[in-house]
Amino acid sequence: MTRDIPAHLRRAVIKRAKDRCEYCGLSQDGQEATFHIDHVIPRAGGGQSSAGNLALACVSCSLRKAARRTAADPQTGENVPLFDPRQDAWTQHFRWEGVQLVGLTASGRATVVALAMNRPLILAIRNEEAALGRHPPR
């Protein structure tokens, strides 16, 4: 959620993310809903509203992540940390296969499933983004 985040900090988070969801890479351009400023470590878990704990997230990723910090790796069933855009390198955890997002690590796989990053609607949006030259993210 974005309440209580100063406008200058919100702008800095958006600029750092290049106006893309830091989980699934979706561009804010062309999306009707305004992306959320996500607390990577949820406020309920003691996370602060600081640049080092905030990430730009599309509405879907933000709502599916919610206050979670872990999820089950679909390959092993082990509970593992979700991808952390402030601590982890995206390319170490994910890669694109066309419009499909593939998790490369336990955290990547768990995040893809927990945030439903390959649901039919997002695949359709990524196909449209590809036609507009906005997918894959660069």
Side-chain angles (χ1 to χ4, degrees):
M1 302 303 284
T2 58
R3 68 176 189 264
D4 303 331
I5 298 174
H8 75 277
L9 184 53
R10 179 177 175 74
R11 285 191 300 271
V13 170
I14 292 168
K15 182 177 180 181
R16 178 180 62 199
K18 299 178 182 165
D19 215 13
R20 289 186 172 274
C21 174
E22 295 188 69
Y23 294 97
C24 73
L26 182 66
S27 174
Q28 171 72 74
D29 288 344
Q31 301 302 310
E32 187 171 341
T34 301
F35 286 5
H36 295 177
I37 303 296
D38 175 60
H39 285 78
V40 177
I41 298 172
R43 284 192 278 201
Q48 300 297 308
S49 294
S50 63
N53 188 46
L54 299 175
L56 188 63
C58 68
V59 174
S60 179
C61 284
S62 176
L63 294 177
R64 284 183 167 86
K65 178 182 167 285
R68 291 194 280 182
R69 297 180 64 194
T70 63
D73 174 0
Q75 198 170 73
T76 66
E78 182 181 344
N79 210 29
V80 297
L82 290 172
F83 170 72
D84 178 339
R86 296 286 64 83
Q87 300 296 318
D88 302 329
W90 194 93
T91 55
Q92 290 181 345
H93 293 275
F94 308 103
R95 70 176 159 80
W96 295 108
E97 282 187 8
V99 295
Q100 293 270 338
L101 193 55
V102 176
L104 301 174
T105 62
S107 290
R109 291 186 299 268
T111 303
V112 167
V113 171
L115 277 53
M117 296 164 105
N118 288 318
R119 64 194 180 284
L121 180 58
I122 194 69
L123 297 179
I125 292 170
R126 287 184 194 138
N127 275 315
E128 290 182 19
E129 292 284 302
L132 295 169
R134 295 193 295 232
H135 179 82
R138 294 185 177 92

